[in-house]
Amino acid sequence: TGSGPPMGVMTSTLLVLALSSLIAHPLVSRFGRRMFLLFAILMGAAFALFAILAVQIFGGAVMVESFAWIPQLDLTLTFRLDPLSVLFALLVTGAGALILLYCVNYFEDGERGLARFGSVFMGFAVSMLGLVLSDDIYLLFIFWEGTTVFSFLLIGHVTRLRTSNAAALQALMVTTLGGLAMLVGFVLLAQA
């Protein structure tokens, strides 16, 4: 483990982005698609933070943050930033920022479901980022299931189209089966 920024950088980033997903719905409802610019800036700031950290990580440092989750069961929330996870964190935050920037001009202000889309997209981005930063099997599984739910909601965004609903249902089935297979693998690993 190398020296780095104060403990809590990864956790703080995830919490700020999670909070933005919670407030996205009322903000987009009130101010429209312009709010996607704010969320793009937030995601871009997370990208910049991980880019700064990447210099240390690719220099050989590894950051680990661990917090007691359920002390009675000895369960902790553990996040790890190593060369592979920082690469994927850059991919998630960079692509997320670009997509949100594109959304500013893609959507119309009065579009049906716009506020829900903003909230769901930010939730999906948080789940993806948590997935690549997780250093704990239980946490990884929770974030995996988060991506499953949010991808179902994103794919089925246009609820009035049957093709959108069918594609969302198919994605839900595939990712749920993948999640169940992963859970079986985790149980087998724990038994071994």
Side-chain angles (χ1 to χ4, degrees):
T1 303
S3 64
M7 290 290 283
V9 172
M10 290 177 276
T11 309
S12 299
T13 303
L14 283 168
L15 287 175
V16 166
L17 293 176
L19 178 62
S20 72
S21 74
L22 293 175
I23 63 171
H25 194 283
L27 288 177
V28 174
S29 291
R30 180 167 172 101
F31 300 108
R33 63 190 169 133
R34 293 182 305 271
M35 292 311 299
F36 287 119
L37 183 59
L38 173 67
F39 300 131
I41 290 169
L42 275 174
M43 199 65 73
F47 175 83
L49 174 66
F50 286 115
I52 291 167
L53 294 175
V55 174
Q56 294 177 6
I57 299 301
F58 288 126
V62 173
M63 287 179 58
V64 177
E65 294 175 8
S66 192
F67 304 95
W69 181 24
I70 306 173
Q72 297 83 356
L73 298 176
D74 198 29
L75 292 176
T76 59
L77 300 177
T78 306
F79 299 101
R80 178 184 178 89
L81 200 60
D82 57 24
L84 184 61
S85 61
V86 80
L87 184 65
F88 279 105
L90 288 168
L91 180 64
V92 168
T93 55
L98 291 174
I99 291 168
L100 287 163
L101 197 58
Y102 181 75
C103 287
V104 174
N105 292 316
Y106 179 77
F107 289 110
E108 308 260 336
D109 270 327
E111 188 164 332
R112 187 173 162 190
L114 184 63
R116 182 176 71 97
F117 175 85
S119 188
V120 168
F121 184 82
M122 290 303 292
F124 178 77
V126 171
S127 294
M128 285 298 294
L129 187 58
L131 184 65
V132 301
L133 296 177
S134 294
D135 193 35
D136 178 86
I137 278 185
Y138 302 111
L139 195 56
L140 179 114
F141 185 74
I142 289 168
F143 281 120
W144 174 268
E145 290 304 315
T147 61
T148 297
V149 171
F150 287 122
S151 51
F152 167 75
L153 293 171
L154 282 172
I155 293 168
H157 169 66
V158 184
T159 55
R160 66 183 180 277
L161 296 177
R162 276 195 305 171
T163 55
S164 175
N165 294 329
L169 189 57
Q170 182 181 10
L172 181 66
M173 288 189 305
V174 169
T175 54
T176 300
L177 288 174
L180 288 174
M182 183 169 61
L183 181 61
V184 168
F186 288 163
V187 169
L188 292 174
L189 280 173
Q191 293 299 318

